[in-house]
């Protein structure tokens, strides 16, 4: 049975009847449930519907609770959501009834083990079970229930051990009317020299309780963008608990045997160790040193991704062990050049969620990692995901307006593409199934427009397929390219060839980015750096003969992406466009919402991409008479992308944030609820939503709700109005914003304004 997909309407009549009986009361019943489900507007009942529920008491067979459940069934309310709402109103009986009906059955996961111990020591018997929420434990010695303070817990403690403790023990795990028994475990009293070799306590000869680390975390070198995995293990009685530390600072979210950090950056370098402890003992592992270097590919699973038409996947694998990237790094040679940039800007577009074509995996992590690397070289980076044709065209136009005298510009695209008659085309997410050039953006047309600028350097990187499109016979005639000696075109693959992705456990990368991120920060001429990337790809057994970087360049100067910035005077229009672009990447300031009940809620903001923002809510202050409260966000505009199932989550991962980590949020130790908002480029008005505060007073059973509407303006790239058509030579800065009214702060990858 798929519990996550089940709705209230699929419950049997006996289950609904019993559930309705439990809800037909005034203290913790259907009215409180109606308030809880109203958190989502879809399930909010009108006054007339609530009145209809109330009037059911006038009928002998009427049931307000049954009527409310029928309303929820009509709106396809899931059982998981219903269970969460019952938990919120603390209706334990209804929770247990529903959970026992639809959730996993009771199951013993840790059985108590027989033990032999000496007089006076501590013996701990452990039994753990999985199943619905609200499990309870009962320990028995023979037929006699143990009623001391640990007899109703998963761990029965016999301390100090006396002759009366000898015997056979069993644990019963209860959930409502259901129960399950553990296996029997015998406790025997022995002399200090008389331990049995088959006794589980032989691990700890000094006493029946103990702790011993059996596996230490290992020092390692990890490449940027890869996954860091550290492990330790211990044998313990009672079972061990774990807490990981990074540079002597505890990591609150890492409390298991394994520490796993996705998409590591240089911030994660340093020493890691784990505190292992139980009820009686505490030990520390040896420190493990983690170094972070440029990325490489050694052992991986490769998936061919035709980022064009009729995409298919073909998998290869290798067990060839490569040299670690830290050993392969090339020491930069001293530079004799004196080139500099008047500014550095980059536009990165990753399209993965196509409407009519195969979904891609790698663009999200490729854009994210390239963004971080370019920011290290002082590029002002705009990173956008999932753009339609109009949004791509507008974004490119805005980017071109930033290319002025002496500016270094870099454009990167990852997604579906094709090449016909020497022209390359980037496919937007809304392209029809049989797309042609009129549905796509022509790379050569963009390059022609780039040449109109007196730039210091133009780098154009295309991470897409270059196979021919049989549906498109039109020959596009772009303008003639000028001889400007400052343009570099880099294609992830050759003409009429396909692109590939490397599959990892949690995130995917394109092959091109896997090799590029090893080299891109080298202080070398751009073409030299890209040549080395091509050589690296050519030496890799998996990519050889399948994907090869193609480089086209007329760059004559020895210009590098690492060149310093030296500002100079520029035109007023270019200054206005620069300011417009900077303003379009400022997050809203933190909001502090004061409710009538005395609760203060903070709204904070963090950027994952230029068009994806995370909002987190925190309870900062609450009166003592309020025993519980939570703040949820609802009623978002329809044109932004908010997954209601993943909104108001306790972790970023649950909220859908695969790459943004909690440490990038200010004060990550403070409990927060996270909501991820995408497609901000489609926001036509100020971002408005409702913050709902649910709280309970100590002397009241009913939950109280307060709501306030919040407007945070147009965050991040939404200020650019990319949904509007663009004239090729018009900057929005002259029309849509009064630039003198803005105080633009410095922007960081994950700022909190």
């Amino acid at each position: 049975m798929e519990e996550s997909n089940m709705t209230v309407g699929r419950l049997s009549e006996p289950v609904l009847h019993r559930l309705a009986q439990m809800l037909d009361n005034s203290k913790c019943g259907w009215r409180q449930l109606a308030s809880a489900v109203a958190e989502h507007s879809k399930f909010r009942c009108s006054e007339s519907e609530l009145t209809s529920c109330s009037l059911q008491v006038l009928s002998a067979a009427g049931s307000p609770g049954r009527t409310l459940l029928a309303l929820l069934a009509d709106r396809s309310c899931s059982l998981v959501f219903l269970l969460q709402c019952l938990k919120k109103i603390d209706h334990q009986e209804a929770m247990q009834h529903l959970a026992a009906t639809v959730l996993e059955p009771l199951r013993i996961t840790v059985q108590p083990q027989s033990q032999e111990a000496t007089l006076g020591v501590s013996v701990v018997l452990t039994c753990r079970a999985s199943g619905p929420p609200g499990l309870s434990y009962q320990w028995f010695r023979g037929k006699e229930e143990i009623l001391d303070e640990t007899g109703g817990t998963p761990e029965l403690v016999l301390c100090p051990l006396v002759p009366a403790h000898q015997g056979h023990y069993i644990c019963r795990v209860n959930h409502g009317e259901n129960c399950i028994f553990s296996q029997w475990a015998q406790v025997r009293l022995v002399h200090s020299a008389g331990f049995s070799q088959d006794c589980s306590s032989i691990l700890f000869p000094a006493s029946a309780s103990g702790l011993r680390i059996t596996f230490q975390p290992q020092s390692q070198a990890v490449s940027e963008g890869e996954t860091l995995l550290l492990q330790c293990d211990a044998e313990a009685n009672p079972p061990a608990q774990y807490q990981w530390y990074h540079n002597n600072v505890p990591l609150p979210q890492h409390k298991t045997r394994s520490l796993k950090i996705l998409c590591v950056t240089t911030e994660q370098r340093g020493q890691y160790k784990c505190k292992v402890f139980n009820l009686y003992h505490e030990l520390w592992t040896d420190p493990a040193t983690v170094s972070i270097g440029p990325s490489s590919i050694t052992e991986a699973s490769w998936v061919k991704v035709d980022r064009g038409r009729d995409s298919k996947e073909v998998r290869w694998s290798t067990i060839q062990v490569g040299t670690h990237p830290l050993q392969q790094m090339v020491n930069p040679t001293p530079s004799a050049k004196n080139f500099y940039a008047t500014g550095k800007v980059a536009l990165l577009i990753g399209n993965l969620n196509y409407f009519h074509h195969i979904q891609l995996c790698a663009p999200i992590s490729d854009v994210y990692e390239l963004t971080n690397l370019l920011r290290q070289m002082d590029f002002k980076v705009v990173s956008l995901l999932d753009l339609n044709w109009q949004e791509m065209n507008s974004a490119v136009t805005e980017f071109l307006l930033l290319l002025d005298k002496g500016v270094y510009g870099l454009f990167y695209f990852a997604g579906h593409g094709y090449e016909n008659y020497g022209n390359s085309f980037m496919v937007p997410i809304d392209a029809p199934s049989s797309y042609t050039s009129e549905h796509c953006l022509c790379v050569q047309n963009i390059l022609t427009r780039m040449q109109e600028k007196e730039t210091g350097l133009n780098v154009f990187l295309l991470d897409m397929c270059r196979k021919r499109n049989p549906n498109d016979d039109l020959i596009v005639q772009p303008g003639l390219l000028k001889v400007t000696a400052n343009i570099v075109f880099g294609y992830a693959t050759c003409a009429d060839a396909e692109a590939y992705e490397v599959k990892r456990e949690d995130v995917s990368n394109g092959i091109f980015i896997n090799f590029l991120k090893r080299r891109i920060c080298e202080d070398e001429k751009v073409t030299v750096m890209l040549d080395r990337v091509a050589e690296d790809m050519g030496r890799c057994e998996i990519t050889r003969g399948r994907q090869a970087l193609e480089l086209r360049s007329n760059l004559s100067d020895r210009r590098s992406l690492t060149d310093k910035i030296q500002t100079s005077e520029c035109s007023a229009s270019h200054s206005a466009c620069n300011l417009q672009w900077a303003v379009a990447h400022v997050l809203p300031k933190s909001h502090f919402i004061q409710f009538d009940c005395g609760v203060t809620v903070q709204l904070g903001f963090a950027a994952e991409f230029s068009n994806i923002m995370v909002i987190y809510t925190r309870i900062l202050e609450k009166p003592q008479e309020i025993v519980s409260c939570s703040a949820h966000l609802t009623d978002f505009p329809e044109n932004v992308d908010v997954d209601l199932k993943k909104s108001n989550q306790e972790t970023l991962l649950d909220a859908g944030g695969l790459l943004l980590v909690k440490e990038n949020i200010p004060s990550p130790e403070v409990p927060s609820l996270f909501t991820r908002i995408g497609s901000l480029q489609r926001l036509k008005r100020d971002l408005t939503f409702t913050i709902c505060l649910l709280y309970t007073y100590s002397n009241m059973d009913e939950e109280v709700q307060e709501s306030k509407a919040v407007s945070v303006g147009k965050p991040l790239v939404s200020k650019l109005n990319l949904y509007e058509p663009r004239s090729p030579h018009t900057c929005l800065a002259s029309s849509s914003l009064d630039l003198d009214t803005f105080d633009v702060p410095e922007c960081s990858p994950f700022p909190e304004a």
Side-chain angles (χ1 to χ4, degrees), residues 362-431:
I364 183 172
S365 53
D366 289 349
V367 169
Y368 184 86
E369 294 180 26
L370 189 55
T371 295
N372 291 333
L373 292 170
L374 291 173
R375 281 184 171 135
Q376 294 177 26
M377 296 181 287
D378 299 322
F379 274 82
K380 291 187 296 185
V381 184
V382 180
S383 55
L384 301 170
L385 295 185
D386 290 332
L387 302 186
N388 60 33
W389 182 91
Q390 182 58 66
E391 293 159 358
M392 283 185 68
N393 187 70
S394 298
V396 169
T397 299
E398 290 292 319
F399 169 69
L400 292 172
L401 290 168
L402 296 178
L403 300 182
D404 204 7
K405 186 174 182 179
V407 173
Y408 287 12
L410 185 145
F411 180 89
Y412 171 80
F413 173 75
H416 285 306
Y418 71 96
E419 185 169 308
N420 275 15
Y421 306 106
N423 295 319
S424 300
F425 298 90
M426 301 177 293
V427 182
I429 63 169
D430 60 343

Side-chain angles (χ1 to χ4, degrees), residues 223 294-297 325 328-329 373 513-522 533 536-537 539:
S223 301
S295 178
S296 70
I297 305 171
Q328 296 177 349
M329 289 178 61
L373 292 170
I513 289 296
N514 260 292
F515 286 97
L516 179 66
K517 63 188 181 184
R518 290 176 47 197
R519 300 285 189 181
I520 194 168
C521 292
E522 291 181 354
V533 174
D536 292 343
M537 292 176 65
R539 285 192 294 265

Side-chain angles (χ1 to χ4, degrees), residues 104-113 126-131 135-139 154 170-174 179-184:
E104 62 176 310
L106 290 175
R107 183 170 64 89
I108 301 293
T109 57
V110 177
Q111 295 281 2
Q113 302 296 317
T126 302
C127 174
R128 297 192 185 279
S130 63
L135 301 182
S136 62
Y137 294 80
Q138 286 179 285
W139 284 93
I170 195 171
C171 182
R172 183 170 70 184
V173 184
N174 305 290
C179 68
I180 188 173
F181 285 90
S182 72
Q183 68 184 19
W184 288 96

Side-chain angles (χ1 to χ4, degrees), residues 35 53 70 121 134 170 208 351 353 377 386 398 448 502 544 559 579 599 608 612 632-633 649 742:
S35 297
C53 292
V121 303
I170 195 171
N351 286 345
N353 294 306
M377 296 181 287
D386 290 332
E398 290 292 319
T448 301
V502 55
R544 188 185 305 124
R559 294 187 180 271
L579 184 56
V599 173
E608 189 173 33
I612 298 179
H632 294 247
L633 306 183
Q649 298 295 318
F742 287 97

Side-chain angles (χ1 to χ4, degrees), residues 2-124:
E2 295 289 338
E3 304 93 26
S4 59
N5 296 326
M6 280 190 63
T7 62
V8 175
R10 292 181 60 185
L11 290 176
S12 64
E13 186 58 36
V15 173
L16 284 170
H17 179 72
R18 178 62 181 137
L19 194 58
Q21 287 180 328
M22 299 175 183
L23 293 173
D24 287 340
N25 68 83
S26 58
K27 290 186 177 181
C28 184
W30 68 272
R31 286 188 180 276
Q32 291 75 19
L33 179 60
S35 297
V37 299
E39 169 191 331
H40 287 285
S41 56
K42 177 181 179 181
F43 306 123
R44 186 177 297 130
C45 296
S46 64
E47 287 298 328
S48 61
E49 289 172 330
L50 293 176
T51 301
S52 176
C53 292
S54 300
L55 293 177
Q56 295 298 314
V57 299
L58 301 179
S59 171
S63 168
R66 185 68 180 84
T67 304
L68 175 62
L69 291 173
L71 292 172
L72 296 178
D74 291 340
R75 297 169 189 180
S76 300
C77 176
S78 71
L79 294 182
V80 172
F81 179 69
L82 178 60
L83 194 61
Q84 291 173 349
C85 293
L86 290 172
K87 182 178 181 180
K88 186 175 295 183
I89 67 175
D90 198 27
H91 200 313
Q92 295 294 331
E93 184 183 16
M95 282 175 56
Q96 292 179 2
H97 175 69
L98 184 61
T101 303
V102 301
L103 296 184
E104 62 176 310
L106 290 175
R107 183 170 64 89
I108 301 293
T109 57
V110 177
Q111 295 281 2
Q113 302 296 317
S114 296
Q115 300 188 34
E116 296 181 349
T118 57
L119 190 67
V121 303
S122 298
V123 171
V124 180

Side-chain angles (χ1 to χ4, degrees), residues 314-554:
V314 180
R315 298 177 179 267
W316 290 280
S317 63
T318 179
I319 56 173
Q320 180 180 3
V321 179
T323 307
H324 193 272
L326 294 181
Q327 299 172 336
Q328 296 177 349
M329 289 178 61
V330 178
N331 294 325
T333 57
S335 175
K337 59 183 174 56
N338 293 310
F339 297 110
Y340 61 88
T342 58
K344 296 182 183 180
V345 292
L347 173 61
L348 280 55
I349 297 177
N351 286 345
L352 57 158
N353 294 306
Y354 282 85
F355 297 163
H356 307 293
H357 305 281
I358 190 172
Q359 310 288 294
L360 300 177
C361 299
I364 183 172
S365 53
D366 289 349
V367 169
Y368 184 86
E369 294 180 26
L370 189 55
T371 295
N372 291 333
L373 292 170
L374 291 173
R375 281 184 171 135
Q376 294 177 26
M377 296 181 287
D378 299 322
F379 274 82
K380 291 187 296 185
V381 184
V382 180
S383 55
L384 301 170
L385 295 185
D386 290 332
L387 302 186
N388 60 33
W389 182 91
Q390 182 58 66
E391 293 159 358
M392 283 185 68
N393 187 70
S394 298
V396 169
T397 299
E398 290 292 319
F399 169 69
L400 292 172
L401 290 168
L402 296 178
L403 300 182
D404 204 7
K405 186 174 182 179
V407 173
Y408 287 12
L410 185 145
F411 180 89
Y412 171 80
F413 173 75
H416 285 306
Y418 71 96
E419 185 169 308
N420 275 15
Y421 306 106
N423 295 319
S424 300
F425 298 90
M426 301 177 293
V427 182
I429 63 169
D430 60 343
S433 55
S434 298
Y435 54 74
T436 63
S437 58
E438 66 175 330
H439 307 113
C440 305
L441 273 70
C442 178
V443 174
Q444 280 65 31
N445 281 336
I446 298 173
L447 296 177
T448 301
R449 295 167 62 187
M450 290 177 69
Q451 286 195 318
E452 298 174 2
K453 312 293 182 176
E454 297 180 25
T455 49
L457 177 66
N458 298 323
V459 179
F460 209 104
L461 304 175
L462 296 177
D463 197 354
M464 66 183 200
C465 176
R466 298 176 67 192
K467 300 283 285 186
R468 188 180 181 280
N469 181 3
N471 296 321
D472 189 5
D473 292 327
L474 179 65
I475 301 178
V476 176
Q477 297 290 344
L480 294 176
L481 294 177
K482 301 177 182 179
V483 180
T484 55
N486 62 357
I487 296 180
V488 178
F489 316 142
Y491 294 91
T493 189
C494 297
D496 201 32
E498 299 167 334
Y500 299 85
E501 293 180 351
V502 55
K503 290 284 188 181
R504 292 194 174 93
E505 183 177 352
D506 299 293
V507 295
S508 300
N509 275 122
I511 287 182
F512 177 49
I513 289 296
N514 260 292
F515 286 97
L516 179 66
K517 63 188 181 184
R518 290 176 47 197
R519 300 285 189 181
I520 194 168
C521 292
E522 291 181 354
D523 186 19
E524 293 287 355
K525 185 179 178 180
V526 179
T527 51
V528 173
M529 179 269 293
L530 289 175
D531 274 335
R532 290 178 176 172
V533 174
E535 292 170 2
D536 292 343
M537 292 176 65
R539 285 192 294 265
C540 180
E541 182 178 351
I542 284 185
T543 56
R544 188 185 305 124
R546 297 188 181 97
Q547 180 173 342
L549 183 149
E550 182 174 324
L551 177 63
R552 299 179 186 175
S553 173
N554 60 10

